[in-house]
Amino acid sequence: MGLAMRRPVVAGNWKMHGSRAANETLLADLVERLNPDWQTDVVVFPPYVYLADAVRTLEGGDVGGGAQDVCAEPMGAFTGQVAAAMLKDIGCRYVITGHSERRRLYHEDEVLVARKFGAAQKVGLIPVLCVGETLEEREAGRTEAVVARQLDAVLAMNGIACLAQAILAYEPVWAIGTGRNASPQQAQAVHEYLRRRIAAQDAKLASRVRVLYGGSVKASNAAELFSMPDVDGGLVGGASLSADEFVQICAAAAARH
Ligand code: PEP
């Protein structure tokens, strides 16, 4: 399948950053500077407490809003958690599942990630499933085994067809927030592997699913990364907090289309 057939996605994961004032400025800058003619899906993931405000601000426009996490349970006595239906209720369209910070710092295992993915899809949210290896795993030659295990856990629980309404993100843990991005060739190799693994079950889905690269994406490296045939855009952390950087990254993704 040619590059042009998958619409690129640029997703901005704000993590635990921002304030009402800073978010207002950032969103206003983004809305003003993103070109509506760019054939790219753009999504921002503010912290929960600011999400409803952000979604309201973005309503009717081209930028989508998403949550950084979701509870696997549908409702009930789960203090501090947020249900998928609540996210849907406020107009949120996407949710990140399995981010490495949640896997590592909050001990989310593959089964929990798969359940969160399923909970999101059940209410019509689009999960962005993150997979990726640590430096130690890469150096031990285990990259493919690790991302395969992370992907397979989700497919085993939710079925291969779940990928029709989902986005994948390859995020090598050693590249997140370190300033050290994977080379375009390293990213391409893993993206291609993921697509091949999916194709073994469903070739059509494999050619359609969008696979983003995440890990120190910046304005200065985005075009090179996005020029790879299986890299369909980026999941961007630090650089998504600067309208200037983020808009340039979106422009690089649009140029790929
Ligand atoms: C991320 O948090 O998903 C990420 C890729 O972060 P950064 O761009 O800062 O490396």
mmCIF file with all atom_site columns, all heavy atoms in Angstrom, residues 10 22 94 112 205 221:
data_model
loop_
_atom_site.group_PDB
_atom_site.id
_atom_site.type_symbol
_atom_site.label_atom_id
_atom_site.label_alt_id
_atom_site.label_comp_id
_atom_site.label_asym_id
_atom_site.label_entity_id
_atom_site.label_seq_id
_atom_site.pdbx_PDB_ins_code
_atom_site.Cartn_x
_atom_site.Cartn_y
_atom_site.Cartn_z
_atom_site.occupancy
_atom_site.B_iso_or_equiv
_atom_site.pdbx_formal_charge
_atom_site.auth_seq_id
_atom_site.auth_comp_id
_atom_site.auth_asym_id
_atom_site.auth_atom_id
_atom_site.pdbx_PDB_model_num
ATOM 1  N N   . VAL A 1 10  ? -1.112  13.098 14.050 1.00 0.00 ? 10  VAL A N   1
ATOM 2  C CA  . VAL A 1 10  ? -0.140  13.645 15.003 1.00 0.00 ? 10  VAL A CA  1
ATOM 3  C C   . VAL A 1 10  ? -0.876  13.841 16.323 1.00 0.00 ? 10  VAL A C   1
ATOM 4  O O   . VAL A 1 10  ? -1.902  14.521 16.391 1.00 0.00 ? 10  VAL A O   1
ATOM 5  C CB  . VAL A 1 10  ? 0.480   14.974 14.517 1.00 0.00 ? 10  VAL A CB  1
ATOM 6  C CG1 . VAL A 1 10  ? 1.450   15.511 15.575 1.00 0.00 ? 10  VAL A CG1 1
ATOM 7  C CG2 . VAL A 1 10  ? 1.225   14.765 13.202 1.00 0.00 ? 10  VAL A CG2 1
ATOM 8  N N   . ALA A 1 22  ? -2.127  28.468 30.409 1.00 0.00 ? 22  ALA A N   1
ATOM 9  C CA  . ALA A 1 22  ? -1.186  27.948 29.404 1.00 0.00 ? 22  ALA A CA  1
ATOM 10 C C   . ALA A 1 22  ? -1.928  27.129 28.338 1.00 0.00 ? 22  ALA A C   1
ATOM 11 O O   . ALA A 1 22  ? -1.631  27.226 27.139 1.00 0.00 ? 22  ALA A O   1
ATOM 12 C CB  . ALA A 1 22  ? -0.125  27.085 30.077 1.00 0.00 ? 22  ALA A CB  1
ATOM 13 N N   . TYR A 1 94  ? -10.589 10.032 21.760 1.00 0.00 ? 94  TYR A N   1
ATOM 14 C CA  . TYR A 1 94  ? -9.446  9.105  21.750 1.00 0.00 ? 94  TYR A CA  1
ATOM 15 C C   . TYR A 1 94  ? -8.983  8.846  23.186 1.00 0.00 ? 94  TYR A C   1
ATOM 16 O O   . TYR A 1 94  ? -9.232  9.659  24.075 1.00 0.00 ? 94  TYR A O   1
ATOM 17 C CB  . TYR A 1 94  ? -8.254  9.715  21.001 1.00 0.00 ? 94  TYR A CB  1
ATOM 18 C CG  . TYR A 1 94  ? -8.525  10.060 19.560 1.00 0.00 ? 94  TYR A CG  1
ATOM 19 C CD1 . TYR A 1 94  ? -9.150  11.274 19.209 1.00 0.00 ? 94  TYR A CD1 1
ATOM 20 C CD2 . TYR A 1 94  ? -8.140  9.198  18.537 1.00 0.00 ? 94  TYR A CD2 1
ATOM 21 C CE1 . TYR A 1 94  ? -9.381  11.595 17.881 1.00 0.00 ? 94  TYR A CE1 1
ATOM 22 C CE2 . TYR A 1 94  ? -8.369  9.530  17.200 1.00 0.00 ? 94  TYR A CE2 1
ATOM 23 C CZ  . TYR A 1 94  ? -8.985  10.729 16.883 1.00 0.00 ? 94  TYR A CZ  1
ATOM 24 O OH  . TYR A 1 94  ? -9.207  11.053 15.564 1.00 0.00 ? 94  TYR A OH  1
ATOM 25 N N   . LEU A 1 112 ? -4.189  -5.717 31.904 1.00 0.00 ? 112 LEU A N   1
ATOM 26 C CA  . LEU A 1 112 ? -4.896  -4.478 32.253 1.00 0.00 ? 112 LEU A CA  1
ATOM 27 C C   . LEU A 1 112 ? -4.959  -3.536 31.042 1.00 0.00 ? 112 LEU A C   1
ATOM 28 O O   . LEU A 1 112 ? -6.004  -2.939 30.763 1.00 0.00 ? 112 LEU A O   1
ATOM 29 C CB  . LEU A 1 112 ? -4.209  -3.780 33.445 1.00 0.00 ? 112 LEU A CB  1
ATOM 30 C CG  . LEU A 1 112 ? -4.872  -2.481 33.903 1.00 0.00 ? 112 LEU A CG  1
ATOM 31 C CD1 . LEU A 1 112 ? -6.332  -2.707 34.309 1.00 0.00 ? 112 LEU A CD1 1
ATOM 32 C CD2 . LEU A 1 112 ? -4.097  -1.855 35.072 1.00 0.00 ? 112 LEU A CD2 1
ATOM 33 N N   . LEU A 1 205 ? -6.453  -5.315 7.181  1.00 0.00 ? 205 LEU A N   1
ATOM 34 C CA  . LEU A 1 205 ? -6.346  -4.470 8.379  1.00 0.00 ? 205 LEU A CA  1
ATOM 35 C C   . LEU A 1 205 ? -4.923  -3.965 8.557  1.00 0.00 ? 205 LEU A C   1
ATOM 36 O O   . LEU A 1 205 ? -4.699  -2.811 8.914  1.00 0.00 ? 205 LEU A O   1
ATOM 37 C CB  . LEU A 1 205 ? -6.726  -5.278 9.628  1.00 0.00 ? 205 LEU A CB  1
ATOM 38 C CG  . LEU A 1 205 ? -8.140  -5.167 10.132 1.00 0.00 ? 205 LEU A CG  1
ATOM 39 C CD1 . LEU A 1 205 ? -8.313  -6.008 11.387 1.00 0.00 ? 205 LEU A CD1 1
ATOM 40 C CD2 . LEU A 1 205 ? -8.461  -3.697 10.431 1.00 0.00 ? 205 LEU A CD2 1
ATOM 41 N N   . ASN A 1 221 ? 13.260  16.587 13.487 1.00 0.00 ? 221 ASN A N   1
ATOM 42 C CA  . ASN A 1 221 ? 13.439  15.201 13.010 1.00 0.00 ? 221 ASN A CA  1
ATOM 43 C C   . ASN A 1 221 ? 12.153  14.585 12.433 1.00 0.00 ? 221 ASN A C   1
ATOM 44 O O   . ASN A 1 221 ? 12.165  13.456 11.951 1.00 0.00 ? 221 ASN A O   1
ATOM 45 C CB  . ASN A 1 221 ? 14.021  14.301 14.118 1.00 0.00 ? 221 ASN A CB  1
ATOM 46 C CG  . ASN A 1 221 ? 13.113  14.222 15.353 1.00 0.00 ? 221 ASN A CG  1
ATOM 47 O OD1 . ASN A 1 221 ? 11.919  14.487 15.273 1.00 0.00 ? 221 ASN A OD1 1
ATOM 48 N ND2 . ASN A 1 221 ? 13.682  13.849 16.486 1.00 0.00 ? 221 ASN A ND2 1
#
